[in-house]
Amino acid sequence: MQKIKKGDDVIIRTGKDKGKSGRVTQILKNDKVLVEGINQAKKTQKANPNTGVSGGIIVKDMPIHISNIGLYNPVTKKADRIGFRILEDGKKVRYFKSTSQVVDN
């Protein structure tokens, strides 16, 4: 089980986008994630009429390391650390370290 999952709301802790928030769109290899609207780069793209791709400058989300983001805690309205807990029924769930509130339902 991973501490950060696809669809989680996260806050950026370090880097040029520090303090911004977004939603995780993809988990990549080597502990990297894609967050929508965060760590964007402008890239030039050549037009290809055979596939219908138009050319020009496109904005692309680039990967960010998982250690540079924190899961958004709606109670404290800040980034929070995550721990794991096993419930009485044997189910493993994530919880916020500061408030001990379960993340997964």
Side-chain angles (χ1 to χ4, degrees), residues 21-41:
S21 61
R23 186 165 293 216
V24 175
T25 57
Q26 190 176 3
I27 307 284
L28 303 172
K29 295 179 183 177
N30 300 332
D31 295 332
K32 296 204 178 211
V33 295
L34 287 178
V35 181
E36 63 183 24
I38 304 296
N39 198 22
Q40 293 182 332

Side-chain angles (χ1 to χ4, degrees), residues 12-20 37-42 60 62 64:
I12 307 303
R13 291 184 168 168
T14 59
K16 65 177 183 177
D17 294 323
K18 181 178 181 179
K20 293 183 181 178
I38 304 296
N39 198 22
Q40 293 182 332
K42 291 184 178 180
K60 183 177 180 183
M62 300 303 286
I64 187 167

